[in-house]
Amino acid sequence: MITAASKDHPAWQRGFASEVPAAAVAERTALLKLDNISKIFGGVKALQAVKFDVMPGEVLCLAGENGCGKSTLIKVISGVYQPEADAVMLLDGQSIEGLDPAKARDLGIQVIWQDLALFPEMTVAENIAFEQNLGSRPRLVNYGRMKAAARRILERLGVDIDLERSVRSLSIAQRQIVAIARALVADARLVFMDEPTASLSHAETRALLAIVRRLSADGIAVVFVSHRLAEVLDVCTRVTVLRDGQYVGTFPTAGMTQTRLTELMTGRTFDYAVRTTDFSAAPVVLQVEGLTRPREYEEVSFCIRKGEIVGLTGRLGAGRTELALSLFGMSRPSAGATSLDGARLSLRSNREAIRAGIAYVSEDRLQLGLVQPQSIGDNTVAAVLDDLLGPARLIDPGKRGALIQDWVKKLAIKIGKPEDAVSTLSGGNQQRVVLAKWLATNPKLLILDSPTVGVDVGARAGIFDIIHQLAARGMAILLISDEIPEVYFNSDRILHMRNGRIVAQYVPSATTMDQIEGDVHA
């Protein structure tokens, strides 16, 4: 955990919010009001006497760490789960009972889950008007009416997407819009959005938040679930906090800070400070000189010293990931030189990079970082199988078990059994498994590409604690993130990349975070 206070607190960290709901909100009639919502699974209380309300046209945040009960509550509201006895659920002041998903949709309750649940091979129009064509009897699809409905909704959102394009060909941001449009076609009055901006750039996020505000202005209530607390405080008027399945409270966002909201979510205090160690005399581990790959990055030069954390930030598309992939041997630069501990590198594959002492944690944990159907143990040892071979060139179960147990203990990974599928873990624990997989290779250089995507605030602190410990032991670390607070409070130096070039370098102890944010988002 970061323990000292920063000398320069930016706007997102100053002041505390009043923790009494605004009187104006209290006087209004809730669109949806819940009380005494409990849900028990096999003796485990996933929700315990939770309260919840949302007003017509309100943008409300539902906040809490992974496993706090957010998804369970949403599934109760959307009819997937039935609450325990004595639960109170009111819509427009009228009791609703026996809720199921179909009835919830009929009442105007829509959920846009993080995976969006779209049909990739179908067109935009077909996805938007999909539910309109469901029925008990087969019938011909009226494509003209389908396109007209889809076009009308997209115009209402103020966006233009080719209705004939397949959803597979769309960007993540466009897919989000299609999912929202589908909810509106179904006459949504209340829309839950689960991590809608997790994979979006800042520009795409601003566009999506503008759409959220448009929905609010049209009287549609939006419940926003996000680990990006700056967005929550920007777009929401109130925030309802859950912790360990229990209701903490509902608070106005006016005057609320990310620090205070984090404390409410976790029950812990987080004090932020910049890193101040001078590494100028430390040995150089990674030296990059004039590295170029056409249309991806150009004339990139920098170094990382032993024990140093260098942050790399910039807008999406700046070339950060492309550079990381070249450093890891996944793509070859056309010009320039890279050295590790003074030895010139000419990597032709990621296997050569691993043997040289480079590890890479991808930003796409689900697709590239882990094999989801496989076990926690298999994922942990995936990069070091050769080291586990016995005399018969078969994997030695004793070596394998000892290695898994060692890294689970070192990184404090919360698991049931090593044989459990890695998909059963929370986002934070999955990310620790990814770290364990690469740390088992004993790297000299660790490249972390957006290591906290989809990870809640409490788990983020734990991951950064691990990163700081690795640096303290002498590991050189490249930390890539488009979240400025992450690189500001966790890097010794920060590189700003734009249009494939390094355009600026900052030392956090000598620079304000507001200045870096202004430069990056200019």
Side-chain angles (χ1 to χ4, degrees):
M1 185 183 299
I2 308 165
T3 55
S6 170
K7 64 180 178 62
D8 185 81
H9 294 293
W12 61 266
Q13 200 178 342
R14 291 194 290 263
F16 288 100
S18 164
E19 297 180 4
V20 179
V25 172
E27 292 171 0
R28 294 160 57 192
T29 300
L31 169 64
L32 179 71
K33 185 177 179 64
L34 310 181
D35 198 8
N36 199 35
I37 302 298
S38 298
K39 185 62 184 175
I40 301 173
F41 296 101
V44 176
K45 294 180 179 179
L47 295 174
Q48 188 173 356
V50 168
K51 300 178 181 179
F52 181 83
D53 67 82
V54 59
M55 306 297 166
E58 180 182 21
V59 183
L60 174 78
C61 171
L62 180 59
E65 294 188 274
N66 288 339
C68 72
K70 300 190 300 292
S71 294
T72 302
L73 179 61
I74 294 172
K75 288 178 179 178
V76 167
I77 294 170
S78 59
V80 176
Y81 295 151
Q82 295 298 312
E84 306 302 324
D86 300 325
V88 176
M89 302 179 66
L90 303 175
L91 186 71
D92 291 327
Q94 302 297 313
S95 177
I96 50 176
E97 298 177 355
L99 201 61
D100 59 33
K103 184 175 179 181
R105 288 194 297 270
D106 290 341
L107 292 172
I109 300 170
Q110 290 280 337
V111 181
I112 302 174
W113 296 105
Q114 192 170 355
D115 64 5
L116 302 180
L118 298 174
F119 298 93
E121 302 303 333
M122 293 172 65
T123 67
V124 170
E126 288 168 339
N127 272 275
I128 291 174
F130 177 79
E131 288 190 13
Q132 284 190 331
N133 289 281
L134 295 177
S136 58
R137 292 183 300 173
R139 64 183 187 275
L140 294 176
V141 175
N142 187 325
Y143 282 95
R145 187 170 60 186
M146 176 188 293
K147 290 180 183 178
R151 186 177 298 109
R152 185 169 59 253
I153 293 298
L154 291 179
E155 288 174 353
R156 179 179 172 187
L157 294 176
V159 296
D160 182 22
I161 301 176
D162 184 354
L163 298 176
E164 297 293 339
R165 285 183 64 181
S166 69
V167 163
R168 181 180 297 280
S169 69
L170 302 181
S171 67
I172 295 296
Q174 290 173 318
R175 294 181 195 184
Q176 287 279 2
I177 293 170
V178 171
I180 294 170
R182 183 177 60 186
L184 296 186
V185 163
D187 296 323
R189 302 176 64 201
L190 170 60
V191 178
F192 288 85
M193 293 186 179
D194 183 26
E195 294 290 345
T197 64
S199 301
L200 304 187
S201 68
H202 284 280
E204 291 169 333
T205 295
R206 286 196 297 270
L208 180 64
L209 296 186
I211 289 174
V212 170
R213 293 187 178 97
R214 189 185 293 252
L215 297 177
S216 175
D218 285 347
I220 297 170
V222 177
V223 177
F224 207 76
V225 180
S226 177
H227 294 315
R228 293 184 171 182
L229 302 188
E231 296 168 4
V232 164
L233 300 181
D234 179 34
V235 75
C236 299
T237 54
R238 294 189 302 154
V239 53
T240 293
V241 180
L242 302 183
R243 189 195 310 148
D244 297 328
Q246 299 186 49
Y247 176 75
V248 175
T250 298
F251 313 94
T253 56
M256 178 69 78
T257 65
Q258 290 190 49
T259 304
R260 180 56 179 151
L261 184 51
T262 299
E263 292 170 354
L264 291 169
M265 292 164 60
T266 64
R268 291 177 282 161
T269 299
F270 295 85
D271 297 318
Y272 293 84
V274 296
R275 291 166 62 86
T276 58
T277 304
D278 182 4
F279 287 90
S280 59
V284 172
V285 174
L286 176 72
Q287 182 74 56
V288 176
E289 298 175 290
L291 217 61
T292 297
R293 183 175 167 86
R295 296 182 296 278
E296 292 186 359
Y297 52 84
E298 189 173 358
E299 290 293 327
V300 173
S301 298
F302 66 95
C303 72
I304 305 179
R305 298 177 181 274
K306 185 175 182 179
E308 185 180 29
I309 303 175
V310 172
L312 180 61
T313 193
R315 292 183 174 184
L316 197 71
R320 300 167 305 167
T321 295
E322 291 79 3
L323 174 63
L325 290 174
S326 288
L327 295 176
F328 191 54
M330 299 292 287
S331 61
R332 300 194 71 178
S334 61
T338 304
S339 301
L340 194 70
D341 277 348
R344 180 77 174 264
L345 295 178
S346 182
L347 303 174
R348 292 170 295 181
S349 70
N350 60 335
R351 288 184 178 275
E352 290 188 0
I354 294 169
R355 284 196 291 268
I358 301 173
Y360 173 57
V361 175
S362 165
E363 64 179 332
D364 191 345
R365 178 179 68 244
L366 297 181
Q367 299 298 322
L368 301 178
L370 297 169
V371 182
Q372 291 289 324
Q374 291 191 4
S375 70
I376 297 164
D378 285 345
N379 275 276
T380 302
V381 302
V384 290
L385 293 177
D386 287 347
D387 297 339
L388 302 179
L389 297 179
R393 302 297 294 170
L394 298 175
I395 292 177
D396 184 319
K399 288 183 180 179
R400 179 183 181 275
L403 182 68
I404 294 167
Q405 185 177 14
D406 185 42
W407 282 109
V408 166
K409 182 178 180 180
K410 283 181 178 177
L411 300 188
I413 307 173
K414 296 179 181 178
I415 68 171
K417 296 177 294 183
E419 294 76 27
D420 293 341
V422 75
S423 58
T424 62
L425 301 180
S426 68
N429 282 299
Q430 285 188 6
Q431 194 68 312
R432 289 177 187 235
V433 172
V434 177
L435 282 171
K437 177 178 76 172
W438 291 114
L439 294 178
T441 67
N442 194 29
K444 301 172 184 176
L445 171 67
L446 176 62
I447 302 171
L448 300 167
D449 195 349
S450 304
T452 61
V453 168
V455 176
D456 66 54
V457 289
R460 287 185 183 199
I463 288 171
F464 281 119
D465 278 347
I466 293 169
I467 293 169
H468 296 164
Q469 292 168 22
L470 295 172
R473 294 172 193 160
M475 190 176 294
I477 297 173
L478 179 62
L479 171 62
I480 303 171
S481 177
D482 61 358
E483 295 197 34
I484 306 301
E486 285 197 349
V487 292
Y488 186 77
F489 290 110
N490 295 288
S491 303
D492 301 294
R493 285 185 295 126
I494 300 170
L495 305 176
H496 174 197
M497 196 169 190
R498 174 180 286 165
N499 297 327
R501 290 178 174 268
I502 302 296
V503 296
Q505 176 176 287
Y506 310 93
V507 176
S509 59
T511 313
T512 68
M513 190 169 71
D514 289 342
Q515 178 185 337
I516 300 173
E517 286 186 322
D519 291 348
V520 170
H521 302 314

